[in-house]
Amino acid sequence: MRLRTLLLSFSSLVLLWGCTHSSFYEKETRVYRLSLDNLYPLPADYTMHPDDLPGNNNRARAALFHTSGASPASFVWQVMNRFPNPEQHPHYHEILARILLMREEMDAALHVADTRLEKKNRFFVYRLAYCHLMGLGLEKEASILLQRLDASFPKNERKTLPVQLLWLEFHHSEKNYEEMQKTFQSIENYLRKKTPLPEETLRTFYTLRIAAGMAIDRQDVMTAERIAIIMEKLIPLIRNSTGQSGSQEEEDLGHTYFITRQDWWQPETHRSIATVHLLRIYGEIGNREKVSQLYTVLMADWQQALRASKSGNSFEIWLPSVGESLFSSGLHEEAMNLRHQIPTVLPFIIHPDPSMEPESLAILQADLQRHNFRAPPLIQKDLAIRLASAMGPVKNEEAIVAWIASCDPPTLHRTLATRALASRLEAGLQAPLLTQHLAGLRQSSQGKKILLPETRRLATALIQSGQYEKARSFAEEEIARIHHHLSGHEAAECLASLAQAFSESLPSLAESLFSMAMDSFEDITPSHRSATIIHRIAILSRSLNAGSLHRRILTEHERVHRFLMNNTDPTLYGDRLIEEKLQFLFKISRIYYHFGIRDDRARGILAECAVLADQFHDPLIAEQMAFRTAEAWGYMGWFHEAYQALEGITITEAKFPKALLRIRQGVLTYDAFPALAAARFDTDGDGRPDFFSVLATQEVIDATGLLLDPDSDGDGIPDVSDTRPWFPDR
């Protein structure tokens, strides 16, 4: 049957209203639609009539691609319809809208969002559409889209608090500060007249916190303070958890761990943590009086928690943040003294649910006991590190060195010196005394070990302050130290960690450091340790545009992991052995994905995964591994193979928890050209798009510098004569 005579599916007929009754993008989508309205893909073995070949017509190629099994939208649609009663799935309509967006059927996607999605998901779909239009330079159309979003709500809902909060989040995500200010003004006016509902208060507080952060980044102290005033008024309204109604515990559970079978939840803590966030905002805008006032309230709550007969974890993990805010607002003495107010052991206990199993209660009590002993020193360490960073640019070096020497334990001194020196360098200040002090600590018995975060942090500080030549000199010194003290994969790990600091600002230096790291891997016998390090090197280097380096890393990464795959633990057998080998192959394929290498070798590795997935004896494990194999095919952009991997599998939420969400994340976000809005799909991975966005102007397409791929599937048959242009005939 010829393509032009295909019948529309029932589902597409339901959606057709949204495609044909709006003129928003009519001029862009009416031409060469072919069967774009048909959501069900053509069979993989379907051969087109020569008259239907799209040739080099961009819109026709787009239409055919989206109805082929090679399309990610088709893959997700097929998987979704493998679920029993897919229309009843809670994410059905959101995913349907995103499928239509991927196919650039804007009107249909927005119609689904307007009529079938609740507020939050509707904003999400509109934001995706808005970003795409802005990326294509279609600012007028993007502006119309926002008007449509506003009009999608009934008039009596448009100025309500939930909708305004969503608008605030929208403008924040788009970094549109002016619109964010206008939306805040509307929220401010609303809250002057009305009190938010109990279930809205906490969300309102944290959304305003995001807006305050944006104002602080713009150095708009006045707006940030206005937001903070509103937030402060909300804190007493934040709803806290309570004990079991009518019980004695309900009265004194102020900071107690109240444990149920589902979770540990902490009454009163919501307000305390909200107060911490507010204190941080006032600290960043320099309102010393408010910081002091809120600090007094917080410490009263903290002391009350420690004295309570039935106490529990309140907000002690936030104390380092409190100390940092105190220092930044000028309350230096209070910040320094905070370390000494943390007890050696926390006295927290558990008030258990009476119905809890004794074994579960014993586990929870053991966990809390470990927390009581381990948390105080960790909190003190974190607080000291933050204070060191805060005092670096503002204290004189003699005072900083003296303070570091007074801190316990001595093993922390090197980390504190590094943080203080890094923050001072970031501020563009000289630090000869701190540099000398850190050098002395490095030479001491406790400081001979090369610390990965230390070298990376100091290099990053020099780069952020624009001291590129000093950064290069520092790198040369560190390279000499690494080669002097280390070798093999240990040297490789340190060199890669140092390279990470230069990846964005000095990519040529980063590439050189990664190459040195790879030199250290020569003649190393593969081990689990070396596998971990080479995998880390691969992840750290993925942002570089360095094809030859990536190929070298990829070769070594595969060599190490295949050695381990072929020399697995001899105690493993059966399904456990197959699963172990499959995990190694998944790890190898993941690096191909990160490097954007989609060649025959990558296909071969995934084909190996498919073969191993068929060898499991346990049917449940077999299905789970088949699903993971399908995900791996999808990540690489080979969606026809992804769907083949799922053949014979019944997909349900019980078998595959969050299956649709995983597919949505891994497939509907697929983009072979993430930096370009005008191009997205590249079936054969040769760097040339199968087609361009049907909404893009010729000017935008020309600006990409890319040419249309004459052979989309890379099988040697030009698309102008290939009756299966997205399925290699070889």
Side-chain angles (χ1 to χ4, degrees), residues 114-138:
D114 292 343
T115 60
R116 307 184 190 182
L117 294 183
E118 49 85 22
K119 297 181 182 69
K120 186 175 181 180
N121 284 336
R122 190 186 310 175
F123 266 86
F124 179 73
V125 169
Y126 267 86
R127 182 180 167 237
L128 292 177
Y130 177 85
C131 291
H132 185 55
L133 294 175
M134 292 296 289
L136 293 171
L138 301 173

Side-chain angles (χ1 to χ4, degrees), residues 648-662:
I649 296 178
T650 303
I651 301 178
T652 64
E653 280 292 344
K655 278 186 182 179
F656 304 101
K658 300 183 179 178
L660 272 183
L661 295 182
R662 286 164 58 183

Side-chain angles (χ1 to χ4, degrees), residues 283-346:
E284 291 193 58
I285 62 178
N287 191 326
R288 181 172 176 172
E289 182 181 349
K290 276 292 185 183
V291 170
S292 179
Q293 176 187 334
L294 292 173
Y295 174 62
T296 302
V297 172
L298 280 171
M299 294 315 294
D301 287 348
W302 171 242
Q303 294 302 322
Q304 181 184 358
L306 294 178
R307 289 194 302 268
S309 59
K310 295 177 179 176
S311 189
N313 179 11
S314 55
F315 56 93
E316 68 277 356
I317 60 173
W318 295 92
L319 290 177
S321 183
V322 172
E324 186 178 26
S325 298
L326 288 171
F327 194 95
S328 64
S329 65
L331 298 170
H332 295 178
E333 185 176 348
E334 290 83 348
M336 301 292 191
N337 290 336
L338 185 57
R339 291 187 72 229
H340 306 298
Q341 298 186 44
I342 301 170
T344 306
V345 179
L346 299 176

